[in-house]
Amino acid sequence: MSDGNAILVTGGAGYIGSHTVRLLASMGRKMVVLDNLVYGHEEAIVDPGVKLVHGDIGDHALLRELFEEYSFSAVVHFAAYAYVGESVTNPLKYYRNNTSAPLALLEVMQEFGCKQFVFSSTCATYGVPDQIPITEKNTQNPINPYGRSKWMLEMILQDCEVAWGLRSTCLRYFNASGCSADGLIGEDHNPETHLIPRVLMALTGEAGPVEVFGTDYPTPDGTCIRDYIHVEDLAAAHARALDHLGAGGESLRVNLGTGVGVSVKEIIQAVEQATGRQVPLIYGPRRPGDPAQLVADPSLAWEKLGWKAQKTNILETVSSAWKWMSGPRGGRYRH
Ligand code: UDP
C-alpha cells in the first residue's frame, strides 16, 4: 500500500469516522485507521481491507513508522474527545487530546511532505451565534473548552498553511445523527448524552425517561433547536473534501448541516411517529451552555464541494437510529 494513494484516518473507529471509513472503502480508497479505541470500537471497522492500528495520534514513533510504510497522501482527522460537559470540568484533557496531540501528527506530516488534512471541526466553534442561520462568516467565539480546543486547531492549520503549504478543510459539523441505512454500524457512546439516542434508550428501557432540558427558550415550542445532519451525509462530505484537496483545491472552512432546524419536542414527536411508541419523558431545567438555536447555512459546502445533505427528513434520520438501537446489537458493539 505504499503507492502514495493511501489515506490515514485517525479516530476512524468512532461514530462519524467509522461511517466515513465504510463509505471511502466502498469507493475503493485505501486506508489505515489509527485509533486508540478509548471511545472507538474495533467492530465498527467492517471492511476487511481496512487496516486498524491501535495507537495514539500523539505517538511520533508510531506515526513515523506508518508514514514510512504507507506514504500517505492525506490525513482525515477525527480523533478527539467530544463531551462538552466533561471539557468544562476537565479542560486539560481536551486541550491535550484535541489541540496538543494533533501537533505530533502535523509534525510528522510536515516531515513526510503530506500536505492534505481533512479536519472534524464543529459548530461549537461559533459559540452563541450572532445570527441564524450560521454562515462561515459568523464570529467564532466558542463558549466551552471543547469548542475552543477545536477552534485552536483550526487556527494552527492556517498557520501551517502559511509556513509549509498544508491545505486543509475544516468541516464544521452540526448535530451528527442517524446511522448506516442497513443498521450495521451506528452510534455507541458511553456515556451517551446525545438527544436522539437518549430518546431511543428511554424507549428500549436502557435508560430512564428522557429529560427535556428547558422549555422556556425563545423558540416556537420553547425547546432548543438544532440542525441534525445524518452521519452518512457527513461521510459523503469527507469524500468530497478529499477529492477537493486531491485536485489541488484551496483550504476551506465549511458548515455541514441540513439548513433545517428541529426542536427537542419535534425530535420526540418524530421518534414517536417512527416507532409507534410513546416516549417516557420529564421536563427539566436548561442545560448550562446550550444556545437556543444552532442551524447551519450549508450553502458554502454546496458551492465549494458540491455537497449538500440528502437525508433532510428527520423521520428518516431517527428511523435509521432506531434501526441500530433496536437491531441485533441493540445499539452497542459490545455488551
Ligand atoms: N437534550 C435534551 N435532553 C437530553 C439530551 C439533549 O433535552 O437528554 C437537548 C439539548 O439541550 C440540546 C439538544 O437536545 O438542545 C441536542 O443536544 P445534544 O447533546 O444531542 O447535542 P449538542 O447540541 O449539545 O451538541
Side-chain angles (χ1 to χ4, degrees):
M1 215 202 271
S2 56
D3 55 6
N5 281 322
I7 306 160
L8 177 64
V9 183
T10 74
Y15 171 42
I16 305 168
S18 60
H19 286 81
T20 305
V21 166
R22 193 175 178 205
L23 176 71
L24 293 174
S26 76
M27 295 168 140
R29 305 290 303 239
K30 294 174 189 156
M31 275 167 289
V32 173
V33 169
L34 175 62
D35 200 301
N36 63 12
L37 300 178
V38 170
Y39 290 118
H41 308 275
E42 216 171 327
E43 299 84 349
I45 305 293
V46 286
D47 291 274
V50 176
K51 184 181 168 68
L52 172 64
V53 176
H54 184 181
D56 209 88
I57 51 162
D59 183 342
H60 277 98
L62 173 62
L63 289 168
R64 284 200 184 97
E65 252 174 56
L66 292 174
F67 273 81
E68 199 76 65
E69 186 172 353
Y70 296 102
S71 327
F72 300 113
S73 57
V75 172
V76 185
H77 176 54
F78 291 101
Y81 294 145
Y83 290 110
V84 171
E86 183 187 51
S87 83
V88 175
T89 53
N90 195 354
L92 297 181
K93 177 174 175 180
Y94 280 71
Y95 292 123
R96 159 83 53 210
N97 191 63
N98 294 3
T99 315
S100 161
L103 299 183
L105 179 60
L106 290 166
E107 279 161 359
V108 175
M109 287 179 70
Q110 182 182 10
E111 247 174 72
F112 283 81
C114 177
K115 296 182 179 175
Q116 298 173 39
F117 196 83
V118 178
F119 173 45
S120 301
S121 190
T122 165
C123 64
T125 61
Y126 293 112
V128 180
D130 42 25
Q131 70 165 49
I132 297 283
I134 299 172
T135 76
E136 292 74 5
K137 291 197 173 80
N138 270 54
T139 312
Q140 282 182 297
N141 189 12
I143 56 167
N144 51 56
Y146 167 67
R148 278 191 281 272
S149 71
K150 292 277 186 174
W151 176 77
M152 284 183 203
L153 193 56
E154 283 201 9
M155 299 298 111
I156 291 166
L157 295 176
Q158 289 182 24
D159 291 338
C160 289
E161 175 151 27
V162 173
W164 51 276
L166 177 77
R167 285 177 300 117
S168 62
T169 53
C170 295
L171 304 178
R172 296 179 185 151
Y173 310 155
F174 281 66
N175 287 57
S177 48
C179 76
S180 63
D182 58 9
L184 186 65
I185 57 173
E187 183 169 17
D188 178 2
H189 293 123
N190 190 12
E192 185 53 81
T193 60
H194 294 110
L195 179 65
I196 295 175
R198 292 288 307 187
V199 173
L200 298 177
M201 284 159 71
L203 280 185
T204 61
E206 195 181 331
V210 66
E211 182 176 348
V212 175
F213 296 144
T215 50
D216 59 348
Y217 283 97
T219 58
D221 68 18
T223 64
C224 281
I225 291 177
R226 295 288 180 272
D227 183 333
Y228 294 89
I229 175 76
H230 197 287
V231 68
E232 290 191 320
D233 279 331
L234 287 181
H238 291 75
R240 295 291 173 98
L242 277 169
D243 287 346
H244 170 84
L245 292 176
E250 59 180 349
S251 289
L252 297 174
R253 285 92 188 79
V254 293
N255 291 338
L256 298 183
T258 62
V260 178
V262 180
S263 75
V264 173
K265 279 189 180 163
E266 286 170 335
I267 290 289
I268 292 167
Q269 281 159 11
V271 168
E272 291 186 335
Q273 201 181 329
T275 62
R277 293 163 65 172
Q278 197 179 351
V279 175
L281 58 89
I282 51 173
Y283 293 104
R286 292 182 178 195
R287 185 173 66 176
D290 269 342
Q293 280 200 58
L294 293 172
V295 180
D297 175 343
S299 50
L300 190 68
W302 173 245
E303 189 188 311
K304 299 286 187 183
L305 295 176
W307 173 91
K308 69 173 160 207
Q310 303 297 318
K311 301 180 185 221
T312 52
N313 180 346
I314 194 65
L315 209 53
E316 188 184 348
T317 302
V318 299
S319 298
S320 74
W322 179 238
K323 191 165 186 174
W324 162 245
M325 194 68 86
S326 60
R329 284 190 189 272
R332 296 269 174 230
Y333 288 103
R334 277 181 203 197
H335 289 270

